[in-house]
Amino acid sequence: MNTNDRNLEGKNFFDRVYDAVRKIPKGCVACYGQIARMCGNPRGARAVGYALHVNPYFGEIPCHRVVNREGRLAPAFAFGGSSVQKEMLEREGVRVYERDGFYFVDLEKVCWRP
């Protein structure tokens, strides 16, 4: 068992998601799949999305820093829609652009690499 496995013991998946997302620094984003892998469930990207959607720790978990694998912001961001997520990211210095009616970030520039 490696150190990462020990950190996962005794916590449910949602708690592991919240712990991982808390670590994303300002000015960076992570993808749902990236968070799922960090939490020991490499195929759990949708579960990460659901955990963030029902996040009981509003203001404490920076859910706005999680995007899809293409860098697209969540069209149904739980705390006000993609325009709110966009504003929150831009306040942290993340450049957001629009394409085909959706908002995106450049993952090459802002993806968190722990």
Side-chain angles (χ1 to χ4, degrees), residues 17-114:
V17 167
Y18 302 143
D19 288 348
V21 173
R22 279 186 185 100
K23 295 175 185 174
I24 305 169
K26 287 182 180 178
C28 294
V29 300
C31 300
Y32 295 102
Q34 179 182 356
I35 298 298
R37 286 187 300 279
M38 290 175 65
C39 295
N41 185 356
R43 299 188 63 152
R46 286 180 186 240
V48 168
Y50 184 73
L52 297 178
H53 185 75
V54 299
N55 167 20
Y57 308 107
F58 180 73
E60 184 181 329
I61 309 294
C63 300
H64 64 284
R65 296 181 189 149
V66 184
V67 299
N68 83 358
R69 63 189 168 98
E70 298 170 336
R72 184 169 50 90
L73 277 56
F77 180 63
F79 303 107
S82 60
S83 61
V84 171
Q85 185 179 14
K86 172 186 179 287
E87 291 170 12
M88 293 174 82
L89 288 170
E90 288 176 334
R91 279 195 299 260
E92 295 183 355
V94 175
R95 183 180 168 276
V96 178
Y97 62 94
E98 188 173 351
R99 185 179 76 219
D100 300 325
F102 295 99
Y103 293 118
F104 290 83
V105 298
D106 184 343
L107 289 176
E108 292 295 319
K109 293 180 180 176
V110 296
C111 189
W112 177 47
R113 309 216 192 278

